[in-house]
Amino acid sequence: MPDAVVTVLSSGEHTGDAYELMLVEAPCGSPPPLHSEPWPKTFHLLRGRILVLLDGEGCELATGDTLTIEAGTMNSFSVLTDDAVFLLVCPGTGMSGFFTDVDALGKQYLPEDALMSRFGQIATRYGIRFAEEVLP
């Protein structure tokens, strides 16, 4: 992802599709666009501080804090320190599928407009919605 490195530590195939566990390493910089997923997700901060936006409200997390975001909640996060590292836990297999498909897309070396169009198709396939139009 352009705003973080996401490593799948335990995929749905290892948990009988019950949940997935990912490690997210994010530098300070531009936050991901405000978005929602059709599944809940839980952040557990291992290092740093982040500000999580939830339907327009801010919630600051520091090392050791945990936050669960309900399915369908518009959300994003900003890194408040040089970097932040957190665990991301999601039910099912949608989140790792999305990250895997986006990673493969980045290896195709497409023109920007084609890249953004395919990104939009991937997001739609996984039921991810954006608060504002982020695609051309």
Side-chain angles (χ1 to χ4, degrees):
M1 299 298 294
D3 49 10
V5 174
V6 179
T7 304
V8 178
L9 301 175
S10 185
S11 67
E13 64 187 48
H14 294 107
T15 66
D17 292 344
Y19 69 91
E20 301 178 306
L21 176 64
M22 288 151 270
L23 180 70
V24 179
E25 300 169 279
C28 186
S30 297
L34 199 57
H35 63 281
S36 69
E37 300 92 353
W39 51 78
K41 62 184 178 182
T42 298
F43 293 166
H44 178 76
L45 208 61
L46 299 174
R47 183 178 74 223
R49 287 184 12 253
I50 62 174
L51 177 65
V52 181
L53 294 178
L54 304 167
D55 283 337
E57 298 291 320
C59 178
E60 190 171 325
L61 299 180
T63 300
D65 290 343
T66 300
L67 174 70
T68 297
I69 300 171
E70 294 181 29
T73 302
M74 284 290 166
N75 69 92
S76 184
F77 70 90
S78 296
V79 176
L80 302 175
T81 49
D82 288 340
D83 65 354
V85 178
F86 57 92
L87 295 174
L88 175 61
V89 182
C90 302
T93 60
M95 190 65 94
S96 72
F98 172 74
F99 287 137
T100 299
D101 288 356
V102 168
D103 183 58
L105 178 63
K107 296 174 182 170
Q108 293 181 19
Y109 304 105
L110 298 169
E112 175 109 12
D113 58 337
L115 187 67
M116 293 307 290
S117 175
R118 295 241 181 109
F119 176 79
Q121 292 167 359
I122 292 168
T124 298
R125 182 170 51 240
Y126 287 96
I128 296 171
R129 295 182 16 243
F130 296 95
E132 296 179 16
E133 188 66 38
V134 295
L135 308 171

